[in-house]
Amino acid sequence: MGRPKTTKTSQPNLTNTSQMLDWYRSMLLIRRFEERAGQLYGMGLIGGFCHLYIGQEAIAVGMQSVKQTGDQIITGYRDHGHMLAAGMDPKSVMAELTGRAAGVARGKGGSMHMFDVEAGFFGGHGIVGAQVSLGTGLAFANRYKENGGVSFTYFGDGAANQGQVYECFNMAELWRLPVVYVIENNQYAMGTSVERASSEVQLFKRGLSFNIPGEQVDGMDVEAVRAAGERAATHARSGEGPYILEMKTYRYRGHSMSDPAKYRSRDEVDEVKKTRDPIDHLRERMAALGMADEAALKAIDAEVKKVVADAAEFARTAPEPDPSELYTDVYLEA
Amino acid sequence: MSVDVLMPALSPTMEEGTLTKWTIQVGDKVSAGDVIAEIETDKATMEVEAVDEGVVEAILVPAGSEGVKVNTAIARLSGEGPAAAPAPKPVAAVEAVPTAAATVATSASSGVSSADPEIPEGTPFIRQTVRDALRDAMAEEMRRDPAVFLMGEEVAQYQGAYKVSRDLLQEFGEKRVIDTPITEHGFAGIGVGAAFTGLKPIIEFMTFNFAMQAIDHLINSAAKTLYMSGGQIKSSIVFRGPNGAAARVAAQHSQDYSAWYGAVPGLKVVAPYDAADAKGLLKAAIRDPNPVVFLEHEIMYGVEFDVPEGVDWVVPIGKAKVRREGTDVTLTAHSRMVGFALEAAEKLAEAGISAEVIDLRSLRPLDHETIVASVKKTNRLVSVEEGWGPYGVGAEVCQRVVEHAFDWLDAPPTRVHGEDVPMPYAANLEALCLPSVDKIVAAVKSVTARG
Ligand SMILES: Cc1ncc(C[n+]2csc(CCOP(=O)(O)OP(=O)(O)O)c2C)c(N)n1
Ligand SMILES: [Mg+2]
């Protein structure tokens, strides 16, 4: 392979109305779901750490639209959005958050550790950076099995500094593994801004010395995400090896539910909400293209509200796991 | 349809708070995400954000109201959505992470008193949290020795993920209080390399779960280099941070590493329970010429104890402490489990069983003389630890007792420990997984019923 095609791009791709409405529904579902999860946390129904995806919806949703059956997704602990985008049942995701038997991990994993192999979703991992090696391993298996699958491996700007990321970049390119590394650069790792943690803040360049091509993408624009995702997936699927997408985004809420968020100003947050919100952006785009049917959008709003309310009610009232579950799933029968 | 705005909780342990301020009035239109009020608890001030859109119909709880219970309706919106509690948004100093303070008293007695032989007579005490005691230990040692510095994730500007390093950046500056990227393996190695030259790093792991990224440097670099270099190169370094189970953070964030590090020659391993030991042992660890793994406990950070004041309070590493005297059974424990053992001893006393409680404090070296002397008196041993049983601290304690006091035992030594499974998330399973006062009482009864 020659020099890496490390570029900055953001060319929106014209898409059709039903695709746009799907995106809108999916992003709104994540937003409303997360708001409700925040509430349930406030009411003491969700415990431990709960990291919300609000503000970053366009990434999981845009990338989902390039995922094919058999591809895999893996991410860190900020994982609710990826699961909803992957079509997992909001009830079983919310019930996992409340630690109930009907949860997608039967109440054993909680917010940070959820899995759904059927949806191609390999977690939900609590250790920053671990998913990068694991996701590279999924890609390794795809190549080994020659199944044509691509691993979409998500991680944060903070995780991008972990050593194992670079060990895997090297092997992924060396062995031409079908993996798309999606860096969700929301500008902060807990209270540390990218500028304070990274000697090179343009994270799409992090593959340069490994010859991995990278692109910086407006992660608040679902069309741009989709277009870049397509380029990356095509590259990976056709045997050319890994590809890095740096998604520029922003998290609206604190790092987890009880983060005082003193490291940034309210104005900074408000400015992003006002000018870059991914859902508003999509609505405006649809209006500009003459695709926004107010009645259709209203119907989606109402539908999503109901789905989320039902999920919350289900998660609130579903029974806890049976005590015997404490000892199950530690080993398989040999 | 109107919707009630409910009083939110900042954490699952918050029960009530003060509604300090409304930032909206009747008639205002609000949308999701707008700040509508400010509430305050003993730990934090937070802004309340609206979750649904609507017009404010009524304010049901006036500003300035104290003791407003969580989930009370505080305002009414005319909106379209279902009833909704607003999302809490903290704005003042709290941990970046949940605390389980409700599961422990916020103030405790540790059996230490002015009659404690370790403490010079007439020494005044202050009430202090474990968190502040640790902070003071670092501050005092940094004032005393310019070679001491603190490095880790969020230790400086954020003031510590759990606020243990509060104000240290302000006092000692960026040169000595250093924020790192999320790169445990790298900065632990940097710490050890710096220690090779005589600097005295304090490496904070946000929690010991993340030290697993770095464990190679703790063991292969820090613990072994003195030996491998034939005594030429020392690593005077402290690795510290919260260890063990917090609340509801599940398998990857709830693990006790006591036994792991306790197995390694070249390391010293310390796990204090109360604030006085937290301070005195941390000061000793910083001064120690060897690498010390210093295991704290998140749930203990907010608990207050008496701490000697105005003296250079250093507790020697390697000495266990008898926290309660008794004659029928010896209970050994470390870290948070000491509190459980003391509580169990209290319950057992009501049942007419006199338990002696030994706080191990130091796991390596382990002070088995104190344990053995106690067992020779009580003839029974129950060890308590939060971590897994197999190959654990309790296994080691039992072995030492069997080796040194076999003929004095009236019952087989017994262990209480975390269940032999990864930590589950569900509240009911988590409670079943951890040791409890009742489990300790039952274990004691099983050994005292014999002989
Ligand atoms: C190895 C490890 N170190 C530290 C942590 C604690 N921690 C959890 S999330 C986080 C910040 C990660 O930030 P980033 O990668 O930017 O992802 P974001 O939270 O912004 O989505 C830290 C330090 C952890 N979970 N694992
Ligand atoms: Mg980030």
Side-chain angles (χ1 to χ4, degrees), chain A residues 9-167:
Chain A
T9 47
S10 175
Q11 327 122 300
N13 198 21
L14 267 197
T15 354
N16 63 42
T17 309
S18 88
Q19 168 82 88
M20 288 221 172
L21 286 174
D22 271 356
W23 281 340
Y24 180 75
R25 177 184 296 108
S26 202
M27 286 164 63
L28 198 69
L29 173 65
I30 296 172
R31 174 81 46 105
R32 296 288 173 257
F33 181 97
E34 293 290 66
E35 287 166 354
R36 187 56 56 109
Q39 265 175 43
L40 296 187
Y41 193 94
M43 292 159 77
L45 286 160
I46 296 174
F49 293 121
C50 185
H51 308 85
L52 303 181
Y53 198 61
I54 298 176
Q56 303 180 208
E57 297 91 344
I59 300 167
V61 169
M63 289 304 295
Q64 180 66 27
S65 67
V66 297
K67 178 181 173 291
Q68 297 182 3
T69 313
D71 291 349
Q72 303 104 336
I73 304 164
I74 190 165
T75 186
Y77 44 82
R78 196 179 298 286
D79 55 356
H80 315 161
H82 303 81
M83 289 185 280
L84 296 173
M88 287 163 61
D89 179 5
K91 281 187 178 156
S92 65
V93 177
M94 197 70 99
E96 189 60 38
L97 296 183
T98 54
R100 306 306 165 98
V104 62
R106 301 225 300 279
K108 289 176 163 182
S111 166
M112 298 189 287
H113 321 100
M114 294 199 215
F115 306 82
D116 185 349
V117 173
E118 230 165 83
F121 185 75
F122 281 80
H125 295 270
I127 300 302
V128 168
Q131 75 272 28
V132 180
S133 303
L134 300 171
T136 308
L138 298 172
F140 180 91
N142 291 339
R143 232 205 44 175
Y144 190 92
K145 297 178 182 174
E146 298 177 15
N147 62 13
V150 171
S151 160
F152 293 96
T153 298
Y154 293 80
F155 53 103
D157 47 279
N161 291 319
Q162 281 287 34
Q164 60 182 314
V165 171
Y166 300 92
E167 299 181 19

Side-chain angles (χ1 to χ4, degrees), chain A residues 56 77-78 156-158 184-190 251:
Chain A
Q56 303 180 208
Y77 44 82
R78 196 179 298 286
D157 47 279
E184 299 197 57
N185 180 357
N186 60 13
Q187 300 179 45
Y188 293 92
M190 214 169 255
R251 81 169 142 67

Side-chain angles (χ1 to χ4, degrees), chain B residues 11-62:
Chain B
S11 72
T13 58
M14 173 180 157
E15 284 167 8
E16 58 176 47
T18 302
L19 204 164
T20 37
K21 187 167 120 191
W22 283 106
T23 53
I24 49 160
Q25 319 174 2
V26 173
D28 284 358
K29 189 171 178 331
V30 298
S31 19
D34 289 354
V35 174
I36 56 172
E38 230 176 67
I39 62 182
E40 204 177 278
T41 68
D42 51 340
K43 288 202 200 104
T45 305
M46 55 185 145
E47 289 174 349
V48 178
E49 288 178 8
V51 170
D52 278 302
E53 60 275 297
V55 175
V56 183
E57 271 183 11
I59 284 181
L60 306 172
V61 173

Side-chain angles (χ1 to χ4, degrees), chain B residues 364-384:
Chain B
R364 188 180 186 96
L366 179 67
D367 175 13
H368 69 247
E369 285 83 4
T370 299
I371 305 166
V372 166
S374 171
V375 171
K376 285 184 176 174
K377 181 174 68 171
T378 63
N379 312 111
R380 289 174 183 82
L381 171 74
V382 173
S383 82
V384 184

